[in-house]
C-alpha cells in the first residue's frame, strides 16, 4: 500500500512562510501579560535578599494595611507540599520561619493586590528578620565543606567515564598539556520575562496560562504544591517569548507562587516577573571550573584525555544532576580517543541556582577541550583543520563513552565544508598580512569542532517520548496538537510541514495549536533539541494513519489501485484522472463515518548505559558542527570584535531550511555574547548586573560583517525524513572558536569566558610582564 508522500512534491526542505509569523508581527499573539480574567489579582514576590541565614520572622503587618492588598501568603498558606525541584526536591516553595535562607533570591512570600504597582509596594513593606550566616560563594570554598549547605557535603553529585587506560596513553605521548579553565554564568536574556496566570477552574481545579517551556513539569509541580490530583491541573502554554532553557523548570516555581494566591483567594492570579526579579531568582548557565590533561603523538593523534570538572549548582540542585550528564559525555569533545577519564562534580554554593541553558552543560567543557586541541596544534606545528580531521569521529568510530557510531556522522563533512566556505588557508594568510602591518590591533583566526548528543540520552530515556493528536475537520482544515512547545524556535512551522507532507493538504490549512496538557499526554520536556525528532515523529505517525484511510477511500470511490493514489498540495488523484480537492474527499469521508482523527506516539530507542563506568550508548544520535571566526583585538583596551564567521552544521535533514538558518544565526549571536560580553557580576551573593543596562548582550551592531553558513544533511534513520537537531548546537561552536581566535591574535591562551576587555587586557599584560 502506498502511504508515503511522493518525493517530487515535497513540502519538506522547501522555503515556506513561518506559520505563526503574522500573529507575532501584528501583535495578535497572546502572551501571558495579554491574558486577563475578571476579578484577577496581581502578584509580587518577597525575596530574602540575604545569601545565607535563618529566617526568624515574617512581618506583613505594614503591607497588609495598604489599600488594594488582598492577601500576603507564606509557607503557612501552601495547601500541599511546600517543596519544589524536578530532580531533587531540595527547594522550598516558600521559605518557612525557622528554616534557612540559602540564596539572595529565595522566595519567602507572595503578595496579591488589585494592581501590579500596589503588589510591588506591599512586597517592599514586608519585613523579614534573618539571622545572617557565613555564605559559601566560591567552588573551592564549597569543596572544603567548612560550611555545608545541604546534607553532609556540598559536593553532592559525581559522574564519571573510565574508558581504556589513560596512564598508558600518556606514557606513549610525545606532548602532554595540562591547563585549567573557567566558564562563568550566562543569563538567558529571553525577551519576555517569566509570567503566568492561574485560574481556579470548576472543571479542572486550576488552569495555568503561561510562558512555559515544559507544561508537564508545571502540571506535576502544581499537583504537589496544591495537593491536587494531576487531573485537576491543566496547563495551557501561552505564546512564549524565548526560553533557551530558562523556562524549563523555572515556570514550575513561578506557577506555584501564583497558584498559592489563586487557591487561597479563589480568584485568578497573575504573576509577571520584573526583569530584576527574573535575573535575581531564576536559573543561569552553570559556572564550570575544569582541569584538563591531554596527551598527543607528534603527528597530532589524541592518545589520552583526563578531565576534572566542578559545576557550581548554586543553592539548590534544580536540573544540575541531569545537566552534569551532558557535561560528562561532551567533556572529551568530538573526537575518537581510546583512553578517557572524566570526573564531573556538582557543588552547592549560596548563590542563584543555575539550571538548563542552550547547550545544557556542554559549552563550558567544549570551550576547554577545544582550547586544548588548539594549543596542541600550535605547539606541534599542525594546521588546526588537519588536527581536527585526524581525530574526528566517523562511521565506525567510538565516542568517549565507547558508543559505536553506525550512521549519520557528518563530522568530517562539516570540517571539509567550513574549510572550503572560509577559504581557510587564504583567510589565515590575509590575517597574517594584516598583523604584520598593524601594531595596536591584532587579528586572529579561530576554529572549533563540536559534537552534540540529540535528545535526553541514557539518563533521561525514561521521559524521552512524545505524543501528538491530529484531527481533520469536515472542511479539510487540520488541527495538530503536540506535547512539545513553540518558544520562538519554529516548532509549529516544522510540525505543519510534516503534517502537510504526509496528508497532502496545503500548509495554509494546517493549524498547530498551543500546547495543552488536557489534549496530549505527558510528552517529556521541550529541551535537548528533541522537538523535531520526537514531536515530529509523533505527528508523522498520526498523519500516516489518516493518509492510509484517505488513500483507501479515494481508491474505492474511483475504482483504482491504492498504489497509484497521490496526495499533494490540497489535491488527491489516481493515475491520469483529474483528481479531487482535499476538502471534497474529506466531505466524502465524513458521509461514510471514516475516522478522521488519530494519535501519534514516539519514544526513544532503548539505550544501554553503565553509570558506574560511564560506558555505553549515551545518546540516540549526534549532531556535529565546525566553525571558523576572525576577531580583531585592540591591544590597548582588550576589546574584541568578531569580524567574520563561517559555520557548518550537520542537522540530518533540514525540514525547514529557513528555520535552520535562523537557528544558526541566533545561536551564533548568543554564543558570541557568552564568549565576550555577558559578564554576570556578583557581590556577596547578590547579582549586580540585574538589567540590560549592566548585563551586556550583543546587539545588531555586534554581528560580524561577514557571516556565511553551510548545512550538512547526513540523515538519521530514526528522525523524521532524517532530521536530527539544531537548536543547541547552533550556540555551542561559537565560544571555543572565538576564544581560540583571541588566543591566536594576542599570542596568549584564553582560559576564561566571557573574555571581557578587562580579562583580555590582563592576559596581555600578565604575560608581557
Amino acid at each position: 500500500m502506498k502511504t508515503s508522500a511522493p518525493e517530487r512534491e515535497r513540502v519538506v526542505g522547501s522555503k515556506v512562510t513561518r506559520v505563526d509569523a503574522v500573529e507575532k508581527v501584528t501583535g495578535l499573539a497572546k502572551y501571558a501579560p495579554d491574558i486577563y480574567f475578571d476579578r484577577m489579582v496581581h502578584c509580587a514576590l518577597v525575596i530574602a535578599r540575604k545569601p545565607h541565614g535563618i529566617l526568624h520572622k515574617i512581618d506583613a503587618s505594614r503591607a497588609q494595611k495598604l489599600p488594594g492588598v488582598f492577601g500576603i501568603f507564606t509557607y503557612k498558606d501552601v495547601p500541599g507540599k511546600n517543596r519544589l525541584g524536578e530532580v531533587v526536591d531540595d527547594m522550598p516553595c516558600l521559605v518557612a520561619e525557622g528554616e534557612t535562607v540559602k540564596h539572595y533570591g529565595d522566595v519567602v512570600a507572595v503578595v496579591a493586590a488589585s494592581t501590579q504597582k500596589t503588589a510591588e509596594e506591599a512586597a517592599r513593606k514586608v519585613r523579614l528578620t534573618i539571622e545572617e550566616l557565613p555564605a559559601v560563594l566560591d567552588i573551592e570554598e564549597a569543596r572544603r565543606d567548612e560550611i555545608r549547605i545541604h546534607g553532609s557535603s556540598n559536593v553532592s553529585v559525581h559522574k564519571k567515564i573510565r574508558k581504556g587506560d589513560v596512564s598508558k596513553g600518556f606514557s606513549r605521548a610525545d606532548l602532554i598539556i595540562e591547563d585549567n579553565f573557567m566558564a562563568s554564568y550566562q543569563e538567558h536574556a529571553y525577551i519576555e520575562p517569566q509570567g503566568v496566570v492561574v485560574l481556579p477552574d470548576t472543571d479542572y481545579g486550576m488552569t495555568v496560562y503561561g510562558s512555559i517551556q515544559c507544561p508537564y513539569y508545571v502540571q506535576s509541580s502544581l499537583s504537589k504544591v496544591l495537593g491536587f490530583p494531576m487531573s485537576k491541573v491543566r496547563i495551557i502554554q501561552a505564546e512564549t517569548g524565548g526560553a533557551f532553557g530558562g523556562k524549563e523548570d523555572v515556570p514550575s516555581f513561578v506557577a506555584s507562587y501564583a497558584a498559592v494566591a489563586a487557591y487561597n483567594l479563589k480568584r485568578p492570579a497573575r504573576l509577571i516577573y520584573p526583569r530584576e526579579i527574573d535575573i535575581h531568582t531564576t536559573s543561569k548557565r552553570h559556572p564550570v571550573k575544569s582541569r584538563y590533561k591531554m596527551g598527543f603523538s607528534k603527528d597530532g593523534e589524541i592518545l589520552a584525555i583526563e578531565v576534572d570538572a566542578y559545576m557550581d549548582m548554586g543553592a539548590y540542585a534544580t536540573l544540575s544532576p541531569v545537566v552534569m550528564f551532558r557535561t560528562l559525555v561532551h567533556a572529551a569533545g568530538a573526537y575518537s580517543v581510546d583512553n578517557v577519564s572524566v570526573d564531573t562534580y556538582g557543588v552547592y554554593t549560596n548563590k542563584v541556582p543555575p539550571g538548563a541553558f542552550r547547550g545544557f552543560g556542554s559549552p563550558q567543557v567544549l570551550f576547554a577541550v577545544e582550547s586544548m586541541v588548539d594549543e596542541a596544534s600550535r605547539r606541534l606545528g599542525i594546521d588546526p583543520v588537519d588536527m581536527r580531521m585526524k581525530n574526528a569521529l566517523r562511521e565506525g568510530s567510538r565516542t568517549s563513552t565507547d558508543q559505536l557510531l553506525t550512521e549519520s556522522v557528518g563530522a568530517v563533512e562539516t570540517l571539509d565544508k567550513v574549510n572550503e566556505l572560509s577559504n581557510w588557508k587564504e583567510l589565515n594568510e590575509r590575517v597574517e598580512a594584516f598583523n604584520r602591518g598593524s601594531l595596536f590591533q591584532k587579528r586572529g583566526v579561530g576554529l572549533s569542532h563540536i559534537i552534540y548528543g540529540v535528545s535526553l540520552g541514557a539518563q533521561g530515556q525514561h521521559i524521552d517520548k512524545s505524543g501528538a493528536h491530529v484531527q481533520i475537520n469536515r472542511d479539510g482544515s487540520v488541527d495538530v496538537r503536540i506535547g512539545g512547545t513553540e518558544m520562538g524556535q519554529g516548532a509549529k512551522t516544522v510540525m505543519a510541514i510534516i503534517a502537510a507532507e504526509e496528508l497532502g493538504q496545503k500548509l495554509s490549512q494546517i493549524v498547530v495549536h498551543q500546547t495543552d496538557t488536557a489534549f496530549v499526554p505527558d510528552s517529556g520536556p521541550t529541551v535537548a533539541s528533541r522537538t523535531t525528532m520526537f514531536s515530529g515523529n509523533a505527528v508523522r505517525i498520526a498523519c500516516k494513519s489518516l493518509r492510509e484511510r484517505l488513500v483507501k477511500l479515494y481508491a474505492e470511490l474511483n475504482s483504482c489501485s491504492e498504489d497509484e493514489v497521490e496526495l499533494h498540495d490540497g489535491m488527491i488523484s489516481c493515475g491520469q484522472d483529474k483528481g479531487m480537492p482535499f476538502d471534497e474527499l474529506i466531505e466524502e469521508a465524513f458521509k461514510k463515518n471514516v475516522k478522521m482523527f488519530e494519535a501519534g506516539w514516539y519514544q526513544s530507542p532503548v539505550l544501554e548505559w553503565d553509570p558506574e563506568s560511564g560506558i555505553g550508548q549515551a545518546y540516540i544520535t549526534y549532531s556535529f558542527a565546525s566553525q571558523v571566526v576572525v576577531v580583531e583585538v585592540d591591544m590597548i583596551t582588550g576589546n574584541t570584535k568578531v569580524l567574520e564567521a563561517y559555520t557548518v552544521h550537520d542537522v540530518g535533514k533540514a525540514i525547514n531550511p529557513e528555520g535552520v538558518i535562523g537557528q544558526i544565526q541566533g545561536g551564533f549571536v548568543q554564543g558570541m555574547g557568552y564568549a565576550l560580553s555577558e559578564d554576570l557580576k556578583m557581590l556577596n551573593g547578590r547579582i549586580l548586573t540585574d538589567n540590560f543596562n549592566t548585563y551586556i548582550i550583543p546587539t545588531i551592531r555586534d554581528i560580524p560583517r561577514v557571516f556565511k553558513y553551510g548545512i550538512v544533511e547526513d540523515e538519521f534513520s530514526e528522525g523524521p525524513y532524517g532530521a536530527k537537531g539544531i537548536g543547541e548546537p547552533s550556540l555551542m561552536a561559537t565560544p571555543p572558536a572565538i576564544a581560540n581566535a583571541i588566543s591566536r591574535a594576542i599570542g596568549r591562551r584564553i582560559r576564561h569566558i566571557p573574555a571581557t576587555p578587562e580579562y583580555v587586557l590582563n592576559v596581555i599584560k600578565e604575560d608581557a610582564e
Side-chain angles (χ1 to χ4, degrees), residues 369-385:
V369 71
E370 282 299 289
S371 296
M372 293 287 285
V373 172
D374 193 66
E375 183 63 20
S377 75
R378 186 188 67 81
R379 295 192 193 184
L380 292 168
I382 299 174
D383 181 90
V385 173

Side-chain angles (χ1 to χ4, degrees), residues 189-471:
Y190 28 67
I191 194 169
E192 178 202 20
Q194 303 279 347
V196 298
V197 176
V198 181
L199 173 71
D201 190 305
T202 54
D203 289 330
Y204 291 93
M206 287 285 180
T207 296
V208 178
Y209 298 84
S211 188
I212 293 168
Q213 189 170 339
C214 303
Y216 305 96
Y217 283 5
V218 180
Q219 184 184 36
S220 175
S221 290
L222 258 65
S223 172
K224 295 170 186 174
V225 168
L226 294 174
F228 285 8
M230 291 179 71
S231 59
K232 289 201 169 187
V233 180
R234 179 184 182 186
I235 313 299
I236 303 172
Q237 185 211 17
E239 289 285 6
T240 298
F244 313 115
K247 294 174 183 175
E248 180 173 348
D249 61 332
V250 172
S252 298
F253 315 154
V254 182
S256 295
Y257 306 141
V260 169
Y263 173 85
N264 282 279
L265 292 173
K266 305 296 185 285
R267 298 174 67 159
R270 174 195 282 172
L271 175 57
I272 308 295
Y273 279 19
R275 182 64 66 179
E276 289 76 11
I277 287 291
D278 196 301
I279 290 178
H280 280 297
T281 63
T282 67
S283 63
K284 313 281 178 269
R285 190 182 298 286
H286 289 83
V288 174
K289 186 174 185 179
S290 58
R291 181 193 66 84
Y292 270 72
K293 179 180 179 181
M294 294 181 70
F296 303 84
S297 68
K298 61 184 178 182
D299 63 353
E301 181 184 357
I302 304 172
L303 300 176
I305 181 168
E306 184 178 84
V307 182
D308 292 312
Y310 288 86
M311 174 178 286
D312 188 336
M313 300 194 303
Y316 303 108
T318 67
L319 298 169
S320 296
V322 188
V323 176
M324 281 179 61
F325 175 74
R326 191 171 288 276
T327 305
L328 177 80
V329 174
H330 291 73
Y335 303 110
S336 176
V337 186
D338 290 335
N339 305 294
V340 180
S341 175
V342 180
D343 290 275
T344 59
Y345 303 89
V347 183
Y348 282 119
T349 62
N350 289 120
K351 294 187 288 185
V352 61
F357 200 129
R358 196 178 198 171
F360 210 70
S362 60
Q364 299 94 313
V365 287
L366 288 170
F367 150 65
V369 71
E370 282 299 289
S371 296
M372 293 287 285
V373 172
D374 193 66
E375 183 63 20
S377 75
R378 186 188 67 81
R379 295 192 193 184
L380 292 168
I382 299 174
D383 181 90
V385 173
D386 294 340
M387 184 84 170
R388 268 81 171 186
M389 193 69 78
K390 183 174 186 63
N391 296 284
L393 293 163
R394 297 162 168 84
E395 285 190 17
S397 296
R398 290 186 177 272
T399 67
S400 64
T401 69
D402 208 36
Q403 179 176 354
L404 177 65
L405 301 180
T406 59
E407 63 166 321
S408 189
V409 188
V412 169
E413 193 173 351
T414 67
L415 282 165
D416 279 334
K417 280 200 168 186
V418 85
N419 186 23
E420 178 184 352
L421 188 67
S422 65
N423 203 348
W424 172 256
K425 291 192 181 299
E426 183 181 306
L427 178 64
N428 278 273
E429 290 170 0
R430 178 159 49 87
V431 167
E432 288 170 9
F434 174 87
N435 287 339
R436 285 194 296 270
S438 177
L439 180 61
F440 298 118
Q441 281 78 37
K442 295 294 182 181
R443 292 181 181 177
V445 182
L447 171 67
S448 69
H449 176 61
I450 64 102
I451 184 174
Y452 178 78
V454 176
S455 203
L456 301 178
Q459 291 201 347
Q461 58 187 316
H462 59 290
I463 57 171
D464 215 359
K465 75 278 183 165
S466 283
H469 184 274
V470 180
Q471 176 176 303

Side-chain angles (χ1 to χ4, degrees), residues 470-474 545-554 556-557 585-598:
V470 180
Q471 176 176 303
I472 304 176
N473 299 306
R474 190 159 193 155
S545 295
L546 292 168
R547 181 187 179 89
E548 288 177 0
R549 293 177 201 143
L550 294 177
V551 167
K552 182 178 180 180
L553 176 60
Y554 188 84
E556 290 174 355
L557 291 172
L585 180 63
I586 299 305
E587 178 62 30
E588 292 297 325
F590 269 78
K591 288 177 181 178
K592 294 180 179 296
N593 294 325
V594 178
K595 181 184 176 186
M596 286 288 99
F597 65 91
E598 193 57 73

